[in-house]
Amino acid sequence: MRLIAISTYLLLSFAQIGFAEAIDYDIVTDRSHIGFTYQFGPDTIQGQFPDYSSVISIDFDQASNSQVEVTLNTKTTKAGFVFATQAVRSKKILHANKYPTIEFVSQSVKAEGAKAFIKGMVTVRGITKPLTLMAQLLRDPGTKSSERDDLRIRITGDINRHDFGASGYPKYVSDILAITIDARIKSK
């Protein structure tokens, strides 16, 4: 869920430009979405983390020098409808009063073709486990390939909620949450 491990594909795409150091980025929060989907019985439900902070640094010459850290506020998590939102914040799932944040810290970034894989550690409910995210660069129509100040990225990954003790309502809610981050980032 600290899935802003986006950077590596960008590194590959712009390697020919020859930048010598990492570029720091801010997420444009009003033009970005950090969300998740899950099954609630037969229905696919979308949730989101509207309150978050991040540290993103992308090295366009050497992806392995890129870094991503994301902190999500669990107290503002939205799970698609009122009952689900109350349930996800409760002791049975995120236990937001005791664990007010989810944190992701990247440990490695590796570019592979048109994708980047970001491996890191995610902490949910005080439990830390490895998580790998896949990132892709998305361009607005007409954007030059050399553009690096205003970028769009899509990051995806899956999390098994039971790995973190977020096991409430197992008869109704799927085990796997699909994480999707659609983010606009601007260089600092």
Side-chain angles (χ1 to χ4, degrees):
M1 295 187 148
R2 307 337 140 160
L3 347 126
I4 305 281
I6 51 202
S7 350
T8 309
Y9 173 70
L10 299 175
L11 302 172
L12 240 196
S13 298
F14 299 116
Q16 73 273 12
I17 298 172
F19 295 105
E21 59 186 48
I23 298 172
D24 295 331
Y25 288 90
D26 286 322
I27 292 179
V28 181
T29 56
D30 64 340
R31 296 177 67 196
S32 300
H33 178 80
I34 296 181
F36 57 94
T37 57
Y38 63 97
Q39 291 300 125
F40 183 77
D43 299 320
T44 300
I45 307 295
Q46 294 184 351
Q48 72 177 61
F49 293 96
D51 185 17
Y52 52 87
S53 61
S54 65
V55 174
I56 301 170
S57 183
I58 302 173
D59 186 326
F60 289 89
D61 285 329
Q62 194 166 356
S64 60
N65 290 335
S66 299
Q67 297 179 334
V68 177
E69 296 179 21
V70 178
T71 301
L72 307 173
N73 181 343
T74 61
K75 291 183 176 187
T76 59
T77 303
K78 296 180 181 179
F81 55 97
V82 174
F83 165 74
T85 295
Q86 292 170 346
V88 80
R89 294 178 191 172
S90 76
K91 290 180 183 180
K92 291 185 176 187
I93 302 183
L94 291 179
H95 200 340
N97 285 333
K98 185 173 181 180
Y99 305 103
T101 62
I102 294 172
E103 298 175 1
F104 176 83
V105 177
S106 65
Q107 294 182 318
S108 70
V109 179
K110 183 177 181 185
E112 290 185 15
K115 299 176 184 174
F117 292 91
I118 299 125
K119 292 184 178 185
M121 300 302 285
V122 63
T123 302
V124 181
R125 292 178 53 110
I127 299 169
T128 303
K129 299 217 176 234
L131 177 64
T132 299
L133 302 168
M134 192 268 301
Q136 293 178 296
L137 174 65
L138 304 172
R139 296 191 167 283
D140 290 333
T143 302
K144 294 180 181 181
S145 63
S146 60
E147 172 61 45
R148 63 190 181 280
D149 294 326
D150 185 8
L151 304 169
R152 291 178 50 216
I153 50 175
R154 181 174 177 87
I155 303 167
T156 58
D158 292 332
I159 261 188
N160 185 326
R161 66 193 186 98
H162 300 294
D163 290 345
F164 301 92
S167 298
Y169 311 101
K171 292 182 181 180
Y172 305 105
V173 179
S174 60
D175 299 343
I176 303 299
L177 301 178
I179 308 301
T180 303
I181 299 172
D182 288 307
R184 168 88 51 188
I185 58 174
K186 285 191 166 277
S187 60
K188 292 184 179 184

